[in-house]
Amino acid sequence: MKLRRLASLALAAAASACGTTEEPVKDPGPVEYRRPPELAEIRSLEDRRVYDETLYRHLKHPDPIVRRRTLAALGRVGHPSTIPHVAAALEDPDRKTIEDAAFALGLIGSPEAFDHLQPLLDSPEPDLRALALEAIGRLGNPAFAPYAVAKAKDGSSAVRREVATALM
């Protein structure tokens, strides 16, 4: 909290010194963050290895933090029946939620997840391609190796690194 305040004041001082602002930026004061209460419920369900409508409902929560935590829980529970629900999050408007959905599909570890991960291999964004390869590598099915090999000459070093890891 203090670090944000100091950074805000430092930026205001720098802007003032450069003459780029007419009036100094005011300190916004302490910023309060309240953890969504759903996080405790998600953790409890995950600990009990429960995957049901309660978790699926949280995948539609307006707070991306709740959606992301739900995806982590579903991935750790690891039941193949959750794949359609997790895969639906690949269309989420929040980029981090998409990344967590891909990771959760890899954690589930079922070959059925491949069909949902495959489109990410052609993403224009290298980090999504790398995440897809990481998740596909976690599926542990040698039949998917040709898809990894096809990305061996990708322009992104992160993607090429994941190709090597996926083929191990």
Side-chain angles (χ1 to χ4, degrees):
M1 220 47 84
K2 287 184 180 181
L3 194 56
R4 276 193 199 163
R5 178 178 266 168
L6 287 173
S8 172
L9 293 174
L11 286 172
S16 238
C18 295
T20 58
T21 182
E22 302 205 3
E23 123 182 10
V25 177
K26 294 181 181 169
D27 179 10
V31 178
E32 187 175 324
Y33 173 75
R34 293 182 193 262
R35 291 175 56 102
E38 293 86 357
L39 296 181
E41 179 182 33
I42 293 166
R43 190 177 325 112
S44 171
L45 291 168
E46 176 187 2
D47 288 346
R48 291 182 284 136
R49 299 292 187 249
V50 173
Y51 50 96
D52 63 7
E53 288 305 314
T54 306
L55 277 179
Y56 302 150
R57 186 179 71 246
H58 290 315
L59 286 173
K60 294 176 179 23
H61 195 279
D63 187 343
I65 292 172
V66 173
R67 295 193 306 269
R68 292 176 60 205
R69 183 64 187 90
T70 302
L71 288 165
L74 289 169
R76 289 186 184 114
V77 167
H79 199 275
S81 68
T82 64
I83 289 174
H85 301 280
V86 173
L90 292 171
E91 303 297 324
D92 196 274
D94 179 63
R95 170 59 184 268
K96 291 284 189 189
T97 303
I98 294 169
E99 293 172 4
D100 287 355
F103 188 76
L105 287 170
L107 284 179
I108 293 169
S110 172
E112 299 161 25
F114 177 76
D115 292 337
H116 302 287
L117 293 166
Q118 186 179 4
L120 291 179
L121 292 174
D122 296 321
S123 170
E125 300 176 52
D127 52 336
L128 282 180
R129 292 194 305 270
L131 267 167
L133 281 167
E134 178 185 1
I136 289 168
R138 286 178 178 273
L139 301 179
N141 189 332
F144 303 142
Y147 295 94
V149 170
K151 294 296 177 186
K153 293 185 179 180
D154 194 276
S156 164
S157 62
V159 172
R160 292 191 307 271
R161 192 171 30 253
E162 287 304 329
V163 167
T165 305
L167 293 174
M168 291 181 156

